[in-house]
Amino acid sequence: KVSPAGILKQVGHELALQNEHTMFVTVFCGILDTETGMLEYSNAGHLPPILLGEGRAPIFMDLPKGIVLGIANYPVYEDKCIQLNPGETLVVYTDGVNEAMNSELQLFGEDRLLTFLTDKSSLPVSSITASLCVAVHQYAQDEPQSDDITVMALRYEAFSPDNS
């Protein structure tokens, strides 16, 4: 059976074999069972995704520890599982989001990120991602971007045989 930890282990090994400049990449890897909402996931040094649900504050997901990809020949990862409920949204982002800096050298930060995502769970995922990117750019204003800004959101909708 293919698992997120197995995928990360294989990719990490392949990258490390050809990595003479010791470059690395962080990855959150998940496999969603679209019928049940069960998300099996693993982590290679990535920031914790944020889980949004109707009527509750956004929360950071609990991630297993895992080394970044590309620096270890035989990396070890572990899998975790979470049950997504219908309507829950997972927001995955790169550190260019929380580390965006304004002219006073203050980071966008995790608290601002969670506050921004409060009450956004019912918006379409495309609106969540677009509005977060706009908020980060507005916060940084004319300060140079220090890292990539990538945001992805996934919403689990209950499986229905009529959807096939």
mmCIF file of all heavy atoms in Angstrom, residues 47-77:
data_model
loop_
_atom_site.group_PDB
_atom_site.id
_atom_site.type_symbol
_atom_site.label_atom_id
_atom_site.label_comp_id
_atom_site.label_asym_id
_atom_site.label_seq_id
_atom_site.Cartn_x
_atom_site.Cartn_y
_atom_site.Cartn_z
ATOM 1 N N LEU A 47 5.429 23.519 7.154
ATOM 2 C CA LEU A 47 4.606 24.179 8.167
ATOM 3 C C LEU A 47 3.286 23.435 8.334
ATOM 4 O O LEU A 47 2.788 22.829 7.376
ATOM 5 C CB LEU A 47 4.321 25.622 7.736
ATOM 6 C CG LEU A 47 5.543 26.519 7.624
ATOM 7 C CD1 LEU A 47 5.192 27.805 6.893
ATOM 8 C CD2 LEU A 47 6.105 26.817 8.996
ATOM 9 N N PRO A 48 2.689 23.495 9.519
ATOM 10 C CA PRO A 48 1.425 22.778 9.726
ATOM 11 C C PRO A 48 0.270 23.426 8.976
ATOM 12 O O PRO A 48 0.067 24.639 9.077
ATOM 13 C CB PRO A 48 1.207 22.864 11.236
ATOM 14 C CG PRO A 48 1.977 24.065 11.667
ATOM 15 C CD PRO A 48 3.144 24.172 10.728
ATOM 16 N N PRO A 49 -0.474 22.635 8.209
ATOM 17 C CA PRO A 49 -1.679 23.160 7.575
ATOM 18 C C PRO A 49 -2.675 23.615 8.647
ATOM 19 O O PRO A 49 -2.577 23.223 9.812
ATOM 20 C CB PRO A 49 -2.230 21.965 6.801
ATOM 21 C CG PRO A 49 -1.058 21.076 6.595
ATOM 22 C CD PRO A 49 -0.214 21.255 7.822
ATOM 23 N N ILE A 50 -3.623 24.420 8.215
ATOM 24 C CA ILE A 50 -4.650 24.931 9.114
ATOM 25 C C ILE A 50 -5.985 24.301 8.730
ATOM 26 O O ILE A 50 -6.332 24.236 7.548
ATOM 27 C CB ILE A 50 -4.725 26.468 9.035
ATOM 28 C CG1 ILE A 50 -3.387 27.054 9.477
ATOM 29 C CG2 ILE A 50 -5.874 27.005 9.883
ATOM 30 C CD1 ILE A 50 -3.241 28.537 9.214
ATOM 31 N N LEU A 51 -6.713 23.836 9.730
ATOM 32 C CA LEU A 51 -8.007 23.201 9.522
ATOM 33 C C LEU A 51 -9.103 24.196 9.875
ATOM 34 O O LEU A 51 -9.126 24.753 10.978
ATOM 35 C CB LEU A 51 -8.118 21.940 10.379
ATOM 36 C CG LEU A 51 -9.311 21.037 10.137
ATOM 37 C CD1 LEU A 51 -9.329 20.516 8.696
ATOM 38 C CD2 LEU A 51 -9.282 19.867 11.113
ATOM 39 N N LEU A 52 -9.989 24.432 8.905
ATOM 40 C CA LEU A 52 -11.118 25.334 9.101
ATOM 41 C C LEU A 52 -12.399 24.522 9.169
ATOM 42 O O LEU A 52 -12.615 23.623 8.358
ATOM 43 C CB LEU A 52 -11.255 26.315 7.929
ATOM 44 C CG LEU A 52 -10.045 27.130 7.512
ATOM 45 C CD1 LEU A 52 -10.405 28.013 6.318
ATOM 46 C CD2 LEU A 52 -9.541 27.960 8.661
ATOM 47 N N GLY A 53 -13.244 24.851 10.147
ATOM 48 C CA GLY A 53 -14.539 24.206 10.264
ATOM 49 C C GLY A 53 -15.589 25.219 10.675
ATOM 50 O O GLY A 53 -15.283 26.187 11.380
ATOM 51 N N GLU A 54 -16.790 25.001 10.232
ATOM 52 C CA GLU A 54 -17.893 25.911 10.525
ATOM 53 C C GLU A 54 -18.104 26.037 12.028
ATOM 54 O O GLU A 54 -18.165 25.040 12.742
ATOM 55 C CB GLU A 54 -19.181 25.389 9.860
ATOM 56 C CG GLU A 54 -20.321 26.365 9.851
ATOM 57 C CD GLU A 54 -20.054 27.577 8.966
ATOM 58 O OE1 GLU A 54 -19.468 27.407 7.885
ATOM 59 O OE2 GLU A 54 -20.435 28.682 9.381
ATOM 60 N N GLY A 55 -18.156 27.276 12.500
ATOM 61 C CA GLY A 55 -18.491 27.534 13.900
ATOM 62 C C GLY A 55 -17.364 27.320 14.894
ATOM 63 O O GLY A 55 -17.612 27.248 16.095
ATOM 64 N N ARG A 56 -16.130 27.191 14.421
ATOM 65 C CA ARG A 56 -15.012 27.046 15.360
ATOM 66 C C ARG A 56 -13.785 27.771 14.828
ATOM 67 O O ARG A 56 -13.666 28.049 13.635
ATOM 68 C CB ARG A 56 -14.698 25.582 15.636
ATOM 69 C CG ARG A 56 -14.114 24.828 14.481
ATOM 70 C CD ARG A 56 -13.446 23.540 14.978
ATOM 71 N NE ARG A 56 -12.547 23.066 13.983
ATOM 72 C CZ ARG A 56 -12.851 22.154 13.070
ATOM 73 N NH1 ARG A 56 -14.032 21.599 13.067
ATOM 74 N NH2 ARG A 56 -11.960 21.783 12.183
ATOM 75 N N ALA A 57 -12.881 28.074 15.735
ATOM 76 C CA ALA A 57 -11.658 28.790 15.365
ATOM 77 C C ALA A 57 -10.763 27.898 14.516
ATOM 78 O O ALA A 57 -10.737 26.678 14.697
ATOM 79 C CB ALA A 57 -10.917 29.226 16.632
ATOM 80 N N PRO A 58 -10.015 28.489 13.583
ATOM 81 C CA PRO A 58 -9.048 27.715 12.807
ATOM 82 C C PRO A 58 -7.981 27.134 13.737
ATOM 83 O O PRO A 58 -7.603 27.763 14.725
ATOM 84 C CB PRO A 58 -8.416 28.756 11.874
ATOM 85 C CG PRO A 58 -9.280 29.960 11.934
ATOM 86 C CD PRO A 58 -10.017 29.907 13.223
ATOM 87 N N ILE A 59 -7.504 25.930 13.398
ATOM 88 C CA ILE A 59 -6.478 25.290 14.219
ATOM 89 C C ILE A 59 -5.363 24.733 13.332
ATOM 90 O O ILE A 59 -5.601 24.323 12.201
ATOM 91 C CB ILE A 59 -7.046 24.150 15.096
ATOM 92 C CG1 ILE A 59 -7.747 23.096 14.231
ATOM 93 C CG2 ILE A 59 -7.967 24.684 16.170
ATOM 94 C CD1 ILE A 59 -8.126 21.826 14.961
ATOM 95 N N PHE A 60 -4.141 24.744 13.870
ATOM 96 C CA PHE A 60 -3.026 24.107 13.176
ATOM 97 C C PHE A 60 -3.142 22.603 13.344
ATOM 98 O O PHE A 60 -3.431 22.107 14.439
ATOM 99 C CB PHE A 60 -1.691 24.571 13.761
ATOM 100 C CG PHE A 60 -1.342 25.988 13.415
ATOM 101 C CD1 PHE A 60 -1.418 26.990 14.370
ATOM 102 C CD2 PHE A 60 -0.936 26.325 12.135
ATOM 103 C CE1 PHE A 60 -1.095 28.297 14.062
ATOM 104 C CE2 PHE A 60 -0.614 27.633 11.806
ATOM 105 C CZ PHE A 60 -0.688 28.620 12.772
ATOM 106 N N MET A 61 -2.895 21.860 12.277
ATOM 107 C CA MET A 61 -2.898 20.402 12.356
ATOM 108 C C MET A 61 -1.666 19.925 13.102
ATOM 109 O O MET A 61 -0.604 20.541 13.039
ATOM 110 C CB MET A 61 -2.910 19.786 10.952
ATOM 111 C CG MET A 61 -4.253 19.836 10.283
ATOM 112 S SD MET A 61 -4.212 19.090 8.631
ATOM 113 C CE MET A 61 -3.621 17.438 8.954
ATOM 114 N N ASP A 62 -1.816 18.814 13.786
ATOM 115 C CA ASP A 62 -0.706 18.165 14.472
ATOM 116 C C ASP A 62 0.085 17.360 13.438
ATOM 117 O O ASP A 62 -0.472 16.473 12.794
ATOM 118 C CB ASP A 62 -1.263 17.251 15.572
ATOM 119 C CG ASP A 62 -0.177 16.580 16.365
ATOM 120 O OD1 ASP A 62 0.898 17.184 16.529
ATOM 121 O OD2 ASP A 62 -0.401 15.440 16.815
ATOM 122 N N LEU A 63 1.353 17.707 13.259
ATOM 123 C CA LEU A 63 2.172 17.041 12.244
ATOM 124 C C LEU A 63 3.204 16.114 12.863
ATOM 125 O O LEU A 63 3.784 16.445 13.898
ATOM 126 C CB LEU A 63 2.944 18.079 11.420
ATOM 127 C CG LEU A 63 2.151 18.981 10.502
ATOM 128 C CD1 LEU A 63 3.102 19.897 9.722
ATOM 129 C CD2 LEU A 63 1.309 18.177 9.537
ATOM 130 N N PRO A 64 3.448 14.983 12.205
ATOM 131 C CA PRO A 64 4.575 14.167 12.639
ATOM 132 C C PRO A 64 5.862 14.874 12.257
ATOM 133 O O PRO A 64 5.907 15.627 11.285
ATOM 134 C CB PRO A 64 4.399 12.867 11.853
ATOM 135 C CG PRO A 64 3.605 13.242 10.651
ATOM 136 C CD PRO A 64 2.750 14.405 11.062
ATOM 137 N N LYS A 65 6.911 14.637 13.029
ATOM 138 C CA LYS A 65 8.211 15.226 12.691
ATOM 139 C C LYS A 65 8.742 14.527 11.441
ATOM 140 O O LYS A 65 8.485 13.357 11.215
ATOM 141 C CB LYS A 65 9.183 15.051 13.847
ATOM 142 C CG LYS A 65 8.788 15.846 15.075
ATOM 143 C CD LYS A 65 9.949 16.008 16.022
ATOM 144 C CE LYS A 65 9.580 16.704 17.290
ATOM 145 N NZ LYS A 65 8.753 17.872 17.211
ATOM 146 N N GLY A 66 9.483 15.275 10.641
ATOM 147 C CA GLY A 66 10.070 14.694 9.443
ATOM 148 C C GLY A 66 11.084 15.649 8.862
ATOM 149 O O GLY A 66 10.839 16.849 8.762
ATOM 150 N N ILE A 67 12.211 15.121 8.469
ATOM 151 C CA ILE A 67 13.305 15.917 7.925
ATOM 152 C C ILE A 67 12.945 16.405 6.515
ATOM 153 O O ILE A 67 12.220 15.724 5.784
ATOM 154 C CB ILE A 67 14.616 15.092 7.916
ATOM 155 C CG1 ILE A 67 15.805 15.971 7.600
ATOM 156 C CG2 ILE A 67 14.514 13.924 6.962
ATOM 157 C CD1 ILE A 67 17.141 15.291 7.852
ATOM 158 N N VAL A 68 13.456 17.576 6.153
ATOM 159 C CA VAL A 68 13.226 18.108 4.816
ATOM 160 C C VAL A 68 13.750 17.122 3.770
ATOM 161 O O VAL A 68 14.650 16.328 4.048
ATOM 162 C CB VAL A 68 13.898 19.497 4.646
ATOM 163 C CG1 VAL A 68 13.276 20.512 5.575
ATOM 164 C CG2 VAL A 68 15.395 19.415 4.852
ATOM 165 N N LEU A 69 13.202 17.184 2.568
ATOM 166 C CA LEU A 69 13.632 16.290 1.491
ATOM 167 C C LEU A 69 14.925 16.778 0.865
ATOM 168 O O LEU A 69 15.113 17.978 0.669
ATOM 169 C CB LEU A 69 12.565 16.222 0.392
ATOM 170 C CG LEU A 69 11.209 15.632 0.754
ATOM 171 C CD1 LEU A 69 10.302 15.633 -0.474
ATOM 172 C CD2 LEU A 69 11.342 14.237 1.308
ATOM 173 N N GLY A 70 15.811 15.847 0.561
ATOM 174 C CA GLY A 70 17.005 16.150 -0.208
ATOM 175 C C GLY A 70 18.309 16.082 0.549
ATOM 176 O O GLY A 70 19.361 16.149 -0.070
ATOM 177 N N ILE A 71 18.265 15.967 1.876
ATOM 178 C CA ILE A 71 19.538 15.999 2.608
ATOM 179 C C ILE A 71 19.901 14.680 3.281
ATOM 180 O O ILE A 71 21.016 14.533 3.746
ATOM 181 C CB ILE A 71 19.568 17.144 3.645
ATOM 182 C CG1 ILE A 71 18.499 16.960 4.711
ATOM 183 C CG2 ILE A 71 19.411 18.488 2.966
ATOM 184 C CD1 ILE A 71 18.635 17.937 5.870
ATOM 185 N N ALA A 72 18.993 13.742 3.339
ATOM 186 C CA ALA A 72 19.284 12.445 3.961
ATOM 187 C C ALA A 72 19.068 11.329 2.944
ATOM 188 O O ALA A 72 18.029 11.286 2.280
ATOM 189 C CB ALA A 72 18.394 12.231 5.180
ATOM 190 N N ASN A 73 20.048 10.435 2.834
ATOM 191 C CA ASN A 73 19.927 9.327 1.885
ATOM 192 C C ASN A 73 18.826 8.342 2.253
ATOM 193 O O ASN A 73 18.204 7.757 1.371
ATOM 194 C CB ASN A 73 21.251 8.573 1.770
ATOM 195 C CG ASN A 73 22.275 9.315 0.944
ATOM 196 O OD1 ASN A 73 21.918 10.195 0.151
ATOM 197 N ND2 ASN A 73 23.540 8.996 1.123
ATOM 198 N N TYR A 74 18.607 8.152 3.530
ATOM 199 C CA TYR A 74 17.595 7.191 3.975
ATOM 200 C C TYR A 74 16.693 7.849 5.024
ATOM 201 O O TYR A 74 16.717 7.477 6.200
ATOM 202 C CB TYR A 74 18.260 5.931 4.517
ATOM 203 C CG TYR A 74 19.092 5.248 3.471
ATOM 204 C CD1 TYR A 74 20.471 5.429 3.423
ATOM 205 C CD2 TYR A 74 18.489 4.469 2.487
ATOM 206 C CE1 TYR A 74 21.235 4.838 2.430
ATOM 207 C CE2 TYR A 74 19.247 3.871 1.492
ATOM 208 C CZ TYR A 74 20.616 4.052 1.467
ATOM 209 O OH TYR A 74 21.363 3.467 0.475
ATOM 210 N N PRO A 75 15.890 8.817 4.593
ATOM 211 C CA PRO A 75 15.045 9.531 5.558
ATOM 212 C C PRO A 75 13.926 8.634 6.081
ATOM 213 O O PRO A 75 13.512 7.683 5.420
ATOM 214 C CB PRO A 75 14.480 10.683 4.731
ATOM 215 C CG PRO A 75 14.453 10.153 3.331
ATOM 216 C CD PRO A 75 15.664 9.266 3.224
ATOM 217 N N VAL A 76 13.478 8.950 7.278
ATOM 218 C CA VAL A 76 12.385 8.195 7.905
ATOM 219 C C VAL A 76 11.235 9.157 8.182
ATOM 220 O O VAL A 76 11.441 10.252 8.704
ATOM 221 C CB VAL A 76 12.856 7.537 9.226
ATOM 222 C CG1 VAL A 76 11.703 6.831 9.917
ATOM 223 C CG2 VAL A 76 13.994 6.573 8.955
ATOM 224 N N TYR A 77 10.047 8.739 7.829
ATOM 225 C CA TYR A 77 8.845 9.543 8.033
ATOM 226 C C TYR A 77 7.782 8.669 8.666
ATOM 227 O O TYR A 77 7.842 7.438 8.593
ATOM 228 C CB TYR A 77 8.341 10.109 6.698
ATOM 229 C CG TYR A 77 9.365 10.987 6.040
ATOM 230 C CD1 TYR A 77 10.213 10.488 5.056
ATOM 231 C CD2 TYR A 77 9.521 12.306 6.427
ATOM 232 C CE1 TYR A 77 11.180 11.286 4.477
ATOM 233 C CE2 TYR A 77 10.488 13.117 5.852
ATOM 234 C CZ TYR A 77 11.306 12.596 4.882
ATOM 235 O OH TYR A 77 12.276 13.395 4.314
#
